């Protein structure tokens, strides 16, 4: 049933139209059609998705982020993801206040990488530690490895301010030189040698087509991931992800979310772009010192999951590729 418009509503709607045109239109649809109308429900979903959608974060490097300090203490310009690869593997380690946990991960990773290079001299690598605006000595700790192994193998990129894990990973990816790019958490929870399993899974992919309370929350989160965004991937949050250089460029160039749920959007984008994905079992051990606050972090991620689906579904977010310098 169509409801009559009160005399004051057109004026109010006119004011809203100047500030939030979409919201004003939605309110008029709500009043004219009634809250049970399918048109109203669809309009509400679309309007909420559009009004609350944030624009894709501008990829901007602060002047200090355009350089890294080499082992001799001199500044060198960072490379670009658009450059041809010059290493077999880039390892990107997002780090926020990780002065205590970083050494365990770096020792294990570099021990493996050095032994592998001795077995196969054609294997080349780099480890990029991205200090995400830490308030502790993360950069100082990471620089010890740079001085020990050389800045061709270990580079430290210190961000001026905290961008979030997704933002830090993206900065490292866009500064990498590897043919393949591996995301690794700084806590050392994943056994680094398992990279060989992941590499095997990557090789076996088909070519791209051209045409506890916490546990309960975790399972709920995985259900939402499956229901709303990403199918056939059981653990989207594992911080051990290997991408080809081309896949990294295409996915990270359209990424909107820079905090905890960025992994889900990354995989959602890959599925939408029909990039093949393989999930491989690796050894994982929980390490104390997680930055996640169980309830509120999962709640935030649940909200982000809903909006990932809504915003892409309604066109508020588009799959687009940006030029990243």
């Amino acid at each position: 049933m169509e409801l009559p418009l009160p005399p004051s509503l057109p004026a109010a709607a006119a004011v809203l139209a100047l500030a939030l045109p979409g919201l004003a239109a939605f309110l008029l649809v709500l009043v004219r059609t009634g809250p049970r109308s399918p048109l109203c429900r669809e309009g509400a979903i679309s309007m909420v998705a559009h009004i609350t959608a944030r624009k894709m974060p501008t990829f901007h490097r602060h002047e200090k982020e355009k350089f890294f300090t080499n082992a001799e203490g001199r500044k060198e310009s960072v490379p670009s993801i658009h450059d041809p690869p010059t290493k077999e593997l880039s390892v990107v380690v997002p780090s926020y206040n990780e002065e205590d946990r970083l050494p365990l991960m770096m020792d294990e990773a570099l021990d493996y990488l050095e032994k592998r290079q001795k077995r196969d001299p054609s294997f080349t690598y780099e480890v990029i530690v991205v200090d995400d605006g830490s308030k502790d000595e993360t950069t100082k700790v990471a620089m010890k490895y740079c001085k020990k192994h050389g800045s061709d193998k270990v580079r430290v990129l210190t961000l001026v301010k905290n961008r979030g894990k997704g933002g830090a990973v993206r900065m490292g990816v866009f500064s990498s030189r590897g043919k393949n790019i591996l995301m690794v958490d700084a806590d050392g929870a994943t056994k680094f040698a398992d990279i060989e399993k992941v590499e095997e899974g990557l090789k076996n992919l088909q070519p791209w087509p051209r045409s506890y309370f916490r546990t309960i929350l975790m399972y709920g989160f995985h259900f939402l991931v499956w229901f709303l965004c990403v199918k056939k991937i059981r653990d989207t949050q594992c911080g051990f992800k290997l991408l080809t250089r081309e896949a990294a460029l295409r996915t990270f160039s359209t990424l909107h979310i820079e905090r905890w749920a960025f992994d889900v959007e990354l995989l959602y984008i890959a599925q939408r772009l029909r990039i093949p994905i393989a999930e491989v079992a690796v050894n994982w051990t929980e390490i104390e010192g997680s930055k996640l606050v169980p309830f509120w972090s999962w709640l935030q991620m649940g909200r982000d999951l809903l909006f990932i689906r809504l915003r892409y579904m309604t066109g508020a977010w588009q799959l687009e590729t940006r030029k990243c310098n």
Side-chain angles (χ1 to χ4, degrees), residues 35-317:
R36 296 183 181 180
S37 165
L39 175 60
C40 173
R41 290 195 298 268
E42 293 173 7
I45 293 172
S46 178
M47 208 58 63
V48 169
H50 278 266
I51 291 173
T52 61
R54 295 166 293 177
K55 292 183 179 180
M56 189 183 303
T58 302
F59 183 77
H60 172 72
R61 287 185 192 270
H62 188 279
E63 193 63 31
K64 294 180 180 179
E65 297 169 349
K66 296 178 180 179
F67 305 90
F68 67 92
T69 303
N70 64 22
E72 290 73 40
R74 295 190 300 270
K75 289 184 177 181
E76 292 187 23
S77 298
V78 299
S80 169
I81 187 71
H82 295 281
D83 299 333
T86 58
K87 299 286 183 183
E88 283 295 311
L89 178 68
S90 290
V91 180
V92 177
V93 189
S95 306
Y96 178 67
N97 293 341
E98 293 288 3
E99 63 176 14
D100 294 326
R101 300 196 298 180
L102 186 62
L104 175 65
M105 178 267 155
M106 291 292 285
D107 288 340
E108 182 187 0
L110 289 165
D111 179 66
Y112 167 83
L113 292 167
E114 284 293 292
K115 288 179 178 177
R116 179 169 172 176
Q117 191 172 66
K118 287 180 180 179
R119 295 195 311 266
D120 179 11
S122 67
F123 172 75
T124 55
Y125 73 88
E126 65 175 351
V127 178
I128 304 172
V129 178
V130 185
D131 183 343
D132 190 20
S134 297
K135 296 178 175 63
D136 65 359
E137 300 296 325
T138 294
T139 288
K140 185 177 180 180
V141 169
M143 282 302 298
K144 291 180 181 178
Y145 292 91
C146 174
K147 293 175 181 178
K148 179 179 179 180
H149 296 273
S151 52
D152 187 52
K153 289 185 174 180
V154 179
R155 295 184 169 183
V156 184
L157 185 59
T158 303
L159 306 187
V160 172
K161 64 178 182 179
N162 178 266
R163 292 174 178 251
K165 183 179 178 182
V169 171
R170 179 166 54 184
M171 187 67 80
V173 167
F174 286 163
S175 306
S176 66
R177 297 173 289 166
K179 180 181 177 182
N180 292 323
I181 302 169
L182 178 70
M183 296 162 42
V184 181
D185 285 343
D187 59 10
T190 308
K191 188 176 180 181
F192 201 87
D194 280 343
I195 185 179
E196 294 179 21
K197 298 178 184 178
V198 180
E199 287 174 325
E200 189 63 28
L202 183 62
K203 289 178 183 177
N204 291 334
L205 287 174
Q206 297 299 316
W208 287 21
R210 301 298 176 179
S211 38
Y212 4 126
F213 172 68
R214 181 172 178 171
T215 300
I216 295 173
L217 289 172
M218 179 187 69
Y219 280 113
F221 175 74
H222 287 324
F223 171 77
L224 286 176
V225 170
W226 173 86
F227 184 72
L228 294 172
C229 299
V230 180
K231 310 291 184 182
K232 299 181 180 179
I233 301 294
R234 291 184 296 176
D235 185 4
T236 60
Q237 302 310 109
C238 178
F240 206 67
K241 293 183 176 66
L242 182 66
L243 303 90
T244 65
R245 192 172 185 80
E246 182 184 358
L249 174 59
R250 293 191 66 189
T251 53
F252 277 94
S253 291
T254 199
L255 192 71
H256 294 79
I257 293 177
E258 292 191 316
R259 298 286 169 180
W260 298 110
F262 87 96
D263 305 75
V264 179
E265 188 190 1
L266 189 73
L267 291 167
Y268 182 81
I269 292 168
Q271 287 190 338
R272 289 281 301 271
L273 294 176
R274 297 186 179 181
I275 298 174
I277 304 172
E279 187 172 24
V280 179
V282 296
N283 292 301
W284 182 86
T285 304
E286 184 169 359
I287 306 296
E288 292 184 0
S290 172
K291 305 299 187 299
L292 276 172
V293 180
F295 179 77
W296 295 112
S297 295
W298 291 117
L299 192 64
Q300 178 185 349
M301 285 194 283
R303 179 203 64 190
D304 287 344
L305 291 179
L306 176 62
F307 282 118
I308 288 172
R309 179 61 181 273
L310 286 178
R311 287 165 181 162
Y312 279 109
M313 183 176 69
T314 62
W317 285 353

